[in-house]
Amino acid sequence: MCLGLCVGVALASCLCGSAPCLLCGCCPSSNNSTVTRLVFSFFLLLGTLVSIIMILPGMETQLRKIPGFCQGGSTIPVYRMCFAMACFFFLFSAIMIRVRTSKDPRAVFQNGFWFFKFLILVGITVGAFFIPDGTFHNVWFYFGIVGSFMFILIQLILLIDFAHSWNEVWVRNAEEGNSKCWYFGLLFFTILHYALAFAAVVLFYLYYTKPDACAEHKVFISLNLIFCVIISVVSILPKIQDASPQSGLLQSSLITLYTMYVTWSAMTNNPNRECNPSLLSLVSNISSSSQPTPTTTPGTVQWWDAQGIVGLVIFLFCTLYASIRSSSNAQVNRLMQTEEGKGSQVESKMEEDGLRRVVDNEEDGVTYSYSFFHFHLFLASLYIMMTLTNWYKPDTTTQAMASTMPAVWVKICSSWLGLALYLWTLIAPVLLSNRDFS
């Protein structure tokens, strides 16, 4: 953790363009919102790394040697670590409610005092490991379910924004330069996304359904395939194109591919092994029709599987993108509570050393909602907790972890709601033509 603090200070120094104040950790020459978001994201990534280390084989045994650590039952270190991160970010989300400009005294605490904020995080983390088990794991599991549901939607919104920005930049480059090259790139990635999604659907039907069983999986795959076809067709309708010229098949193809990932992730949480073969059995052609044997070692979980790895990669991308994004999409900005201050601008400032540095001027209005940003990281902490434990529910009776159908339905419902949100971004400019969606 001390190493993490040193890296955090170094990160702040590089991004500030000068050494931050040793007392408060803020940049002496700027109020850089991007730096702030990146450092807070670094705290989250550091906590994620610690969580991964804690569930490595043999680490739990070492933790149990500490007097008073996790007394009273089974130990799930990931739940403790992610509980601490969630409390930390929720605390800041509450503190930063309705901060409108950098003149607000709370903005100083948002953009500085990194050393003290790191100490707060460490203190909450240490305290979390001394909470008696009792009903802690079961209650926090349901918090994780709800929070992860919301975070999956945020991931989809960020992917929509990324796809819109991607399409906008490449189309602009095509209009200004070598049009054939840029248009070919758009076409290539659009076809690639749809090809991967179609291949995924075929594999889902082959390995996650049976002729006389797995009815839920058949419904999930079929419905999501139909919904993805619908949004793809809608995105290229003439009226949609007239109202939103930036919409197109590139965005729809990326959303389709992400929807297929969420569908796969949901099916891998089905407790029925006949409908949920392990990746090892698929590769080695070993039958896995028998019911799974619960984990017998208290608190031991199998988390490093294929869908978990993909989930972590998407999480890392979305977290970093949320920290540096500057979108021109008004609908996404409203959903993500960014660029709420109309007077906020990015300016350049000449320093005494002769170097020109970028300065975020938030005196007239903040460029993003401080409170919502921390709430987003709060949800991300819960999502990491569920991803690292494979969405398994702690079983206090058998001292084990078990797959549950609620996790399946949470992911599937989040994919449906996410598709509905994307559809709304397409049809809203047509239905509400009197409003400005530019």
Side-chain angles (χ1 to χ4, degrees):
M1 297 293 279
C2 293
L3 176 61
L5 177 60
C6 296
V7 175
V9 172
L11 176 64
S13 299
C14 293
L15 295 175
C16 285
S18 58
C21 173
L22 293 179
L23 176 62
C24 68
C26 57
C27 300
S29 62
S30 69
N31 175 26
N32 198 318
S33 61
T34 302
V35 173
T36 298
R37 286 183 284 181
L38 282 173
V39 176
F40 273 117
S41 297
F42 172 77
F43 280 2
L44 176 65
L45 298 179
L46 179 63
T48 302
L49 179 61
V50 173
S51 299
I52 294 174
I53 293 174
M54 283 184 170
I55 58 176
L56 294 177
M59 185 58 64
E60 179 189 340
T61 304
Q62 300 301 319
L63 291 175
R64 284 182 174 274
K65 295 179 180 179
I66 303 177
F69 233 49
C70 307
Q71 295 295 315
S74 63
T75 302
I76 309 176
V78 174
Y79 273 43
R80 308 290 178 144
M81 187 65 216
C82 292
F83 170 80
M85 291 194 298
C87 289
F88 175 78
F89 291 119
F90 186 80
L91 173 64
F92 274 89
S93 178
I95 293 175
M96 298 299 165
I97 291 176
R98 299 187 67 81
V99 174
R100 298 300 184 187
T101 71
S102 60
K103 297 177 182 178
D104 192 306
R106 293 172 292 173
V108 178
F109 193 52
Q110 164 76 4
N111 296 307
F113 295 97
W114 297 110
F115 176 76
F116 297 105
K117 285 188 281 195
F118 185 81
L119 290 183
I120 292 173
L121 177 57
V122 172
I124 297 175
T125 302
V126 173
F129 280 87
F130 287 91
I131 299 175
D133 276 2
T135 59
F136 172 78
H137 291 130
N138 275 338
V139 172
W140 200 237
F141 168 79
Y142 288 105
F143 272 93
I145 284 285
V146 176
S148 299
F149 173 84
M150 299 173 67
F151 184 77
I152 290 175
L153 295 180
I154 290 179
Q155 280 193 146
L156 187 88
I157 293 172
L158 290 172
L159 287 175
I160 293 173
D161 179 58
F162 171 74
H164 276 302
S165 301
W166 182 4
N167 184 75
E168 180 182 354
V169 171
W170 281 29
V171 168
R172 183 171 64 247
N173 290 341
E175 294 173 349
E176 296 175 354
N178 188 347
S179 59
K180 292 183 178 180
C181 179
W182 291 107
Y183 283 129
F184 174 79
L186 288 173
L187 179 62
F188 172 78
F189 281 103
T190 299
I191 295 176
L192 177 64
H193 294 158
Y194 277 124
L196 291 174
F198 179 76
V201 170
V202 173
L203 293 175
F204 293 163
Y205 278 119
L206 286 177
Y207 295 109
Y208 289 90
T209 64
K210 301 292 181 182
D212 55 350
C214 311
E216 299 95 338
H217 287 189
K218 295 174 184 176
V219 172
F220 297 157
I221 300 169
S222 301
L223 281 179
N224 278 354
L225 176 60
I226 293 172
F227 293 155
C228 289
V229 171
I230 291 175
I231 64 169
S232 298
V233 173
V234 170
S235 68
I236 57 175
L237 291 177
K239 287 188 176 181
I240 300 295
Q241 288 291 308
D242 291 339
S244 301
Q246 75 278 8
S247 64
L249 288 178
L250 177 66
Q251 298 93 313
S252 299
S253 66
L254 186 60
I255 300 307
T256 297
L257 184 59
Y258 178 74
T259 300
M260 291 307 149
Y261 157 72
V262 176
T263 305
W264 172 52
S265 180
M267 293 188 296
T268 58
N269 283 116
N270 193 332
N272 182 1
R273 300 304 291 183
E274 183 180 2
C275 302
N276 177 22
S278 67
L279 186 62
L280 179 62
S281 69
L282 295 179
V283 174
S284 58
N285 199 27
I286 299 175
S287 174
S288 59
S289 59
S290 60
Q291 288 296 113
T293 303
T295 306
T296 55
T297 304
T300 301
V301 295
Q302 178 189 354
W303 66 276
W304 197 251
D305 62 356
Q307 70 93 6
I309 295 174
V310 176
L312 284 176
V313 171
I314 295 176
F315 156 77
L316 291 172
F317 169 79
C318 290
T319 300
L320 293 176
Y321 181 69
S323 301
I324 62 176
R325 66 183 294 273
S326 178
S327 175
S328 60
N329 190 300
Q331 298 177 76
V332 175
N333 285 335
R334 292 189 187 101
L335 290 171
M336 292 297 297
Q337 294 292 296
T338 53
E339 299 185 10
E340 62 180 33
K342 299 298 183 181
S344 58
Q345 299 177 0
V346 179
E347 304 173 350
S348 60
K349 179 179 179 181
M350 183 68 71
E351 299 292 337
E352 295 180 356
D353 56 8
L355 297 178
R356 183 172 295 275
R357 294 189 176 91
V358 174
V359 178
D360 287 346
N361 179 11
E362 295 186 316
E363 292 182 357
D364 297 325
V366 296
T367 57
Y368 67 102
S369 169
Y370 292 172
S371 181
F372 185 83
F373 176 72
H374 289 294
F375 186 70
H376 161 239
L377 296 183
F378 162 74
L379 297 178
S381 303
L382 298 176
Y383 176 79
I384 279 299
M385 179 184 76
M386 301 306 294
T387 300
L388 294 184
T389 57
N390 258 348
W391 292 69
Y392 290 160
K393 179 181 179 181
D395 189 332
T396 55
T397 303
T398 61
Q399 303 274 313
M401 304 287 284
S403 297
T404 59
M405 283 303 293
V408 176
W409 284 104
V410 164
K411 293 183 179 182
I412 286 297
C413 291
S414 67
S415 71
W416 293 340
L417 186 54
L419 288 170
L421 283 174
Y422 176 63
L423 181 62
W424 173 250
T425 65
L426 295 174
I427 65 176
V430 176
L431 298 179
L432 305 175
S433 56
N434 59 329
R435 297 187 62 179
D436 182 19
F437 288 93
S438 60

